[in-house]
Amino acid sequence: MYKRQTSDTPIPLHALNQANGVIDIKMTPTINAVQYPELKLTAPWQLKDNKINLSSWQLLWDDLIGKGMATFNLKEKQGITTWKIHLPNAHQWITRYLTVIPRPLTLEKGSLVTNGKLHWKQSPKIRFEIDASINASDWSGHWDNQSFMGASLKSNINLTEQLTMIGEQGAINIDRFNPGLPIESIKSTFSWSLFEGDADSFLVDVNDVSAQLLSGSISSVEAFKVSPSYLNTNINLA
């Protein structure tokens, strides 16, 4: 269910070499029986030399703010879209609208920023590749009675149409985690992969882990791997 508004009369693109206007879309999406707030998308567009340019589109959806640009080559059937999405109160948005959050998890604070670029081409099937980065910062909350604060995560992501994802330059920092014994300054760098959307193929290559515990420090002395089917907890600490 949505409401669509536009100031432009429909134009047969193949019959024109030059045109311009503004896209103005408003809709109220319902996903899995959950009604989301109104989504607004505006984008000035120009058609010239068989190319459609969206010079500065903007998306507003509750607290989510998205901006970017897009170019579509009608003759070569390919295009590029770039974006930056900012969700300043991501913890509230996730708690309110995502039903997959585990019950023991309570989120109290956190923001999210993602930047990316989408390349696509129809030849004859649509092929695409996404390069993106994600930055989740200053998260805090509880897992049951175990509190955490000052958690952040960064990673670069490459995604193809086969749903293969490669994550590089990953980093996690947690200021404080208290499972009954306070652990501070938890840091780790990692890379990860998932092939063709298969959850069993998910693999994290952890380069290093360090933390402050009982007025001392601990750190891993070698890299190790973590996967859903095999969890190696035999980590040498020094």
Side-chain angles (χ1 to χ4, degrees):
M1 179 177 64
Y2 64 92
K3 181 181 179 182
R4 184 176 186 274
Q5 297 179 343
T6 177
S7 59
D8 308 304
T9 302
I11 300 171
L13 299 180
H14 65 275
L16 294 175
N17 185 48
Q18 185 169 341
N20 60 76
V22 177
I23 297 172
D24 184 6
I25 298 175
K26 297 180 181 179
M27 64 172 66
T28 305
T30 300
I31 304 174
N32 294 329
V34 178
Q35 183 170 328
Y36 288 75
E38 184 180 62
L39 181 153
K40 300 179 182 179
L41 173 66
T42 58
W45 64 270
Q46 181 183 48
L47 170 64
K48 185 176 181 180
D49 298 329
N50 290 312
K51 294 181 180 179
I52 300 177
N53 293 308
L54 305 179
S55 58
S56 56
W57 61 262
Q58 178 172 286
L59 174 68
L60 300 176
W61 190 13
D62 200 9
D63 292 330
L64 186 150
I65 303 172
K67 297 180 180 181
M69 59 175 292
T71 300
F72 307 94
N73 190 313
L74 301 176
K75 184 176 181 180
E76 299 180 3
K77 297 182 179 180
Q78 63 180 348
I80 297 175
T81 302
T82 63
W83 71 85
K84 179 177 182 180
I85 295 175
H86 184 208
L87 194 53
N89 297 309
H91 66 293
Q92 294 178 352
W93 202 93
I94 290 173
T95 301
R96 189 180 304 145
Y97 301 121
L98 297 187
T99 59
V100 296
I101 300 299
R103 290 184 180 274
L105 177 62
T106 302
L107 298 174
E108 299 172 352
K109 187 180 181 182
S111 66
L112 179 68
V113 176
T114 177
N115 298 271
K117 179 181 290 187
L118 164 67
H119 296 261
W120 67 268
K121 185 174 184 178
Q122 185 175 353
S123 61
K125 295 182 179 180
I126 294 180
R127 301 176 60 86
F128 70 86
E129 183 174 7
I130 295 175
D131 290 298
S133 65
I134 185 171
N135 183 357
S137 60
D138 200 19
W139 288 76
S140 62
H142 289 80
W143 181 275
D144 283 335
N145 295 321
Q146 303 171 9
S147 64
F148 63 91
M149 61 183 298
S152 65
L153 180 147
K154 296 180 180 179
S155 180
N156 293 337
I157 304 170
N158 176 267
L159 169 66
T160 67
E161 73 271 10
Q162 292 89 8
L163 298 184
T164 291
M165 291 185 282
I166 303 295
E168 297 181 338
Q169 297 181 344
I172 291 178
N173 292 276
I174 304 175
D175 290 344
R176 183 180 176 89
F177 175 56
N178 190 349
L181 181 67
I183 306 174
E184 299 180 336
S185 301
I186 304 170
K187 299 180 180 181
S188 178
T189 61
F190 63 93
S191 60
W192 58 275
S193 59
L194 185 146
F195 295 95
E196 297 182 352
D198 181 8
D200 289 337
S201 72
F202 181 70
L203 183 67
V204 180
D205 289 287
V206 181
N207 300 321
D208 52 67
V209 179
S210 64
Q212 300 292 322
L213 176 66
L214 296 176
S215 301
S217 62
I218 60 174
S219 62
S220 59
V221 297
E222 60 183 16
F224 60 97
K225 300 178 184 294
V226 178
S227 71
S229 58
Y230 174 70
L231 180 61
N232 180 6
T233 57
N234 184 21
I235 305 170
N236 294 320
L237 300 176

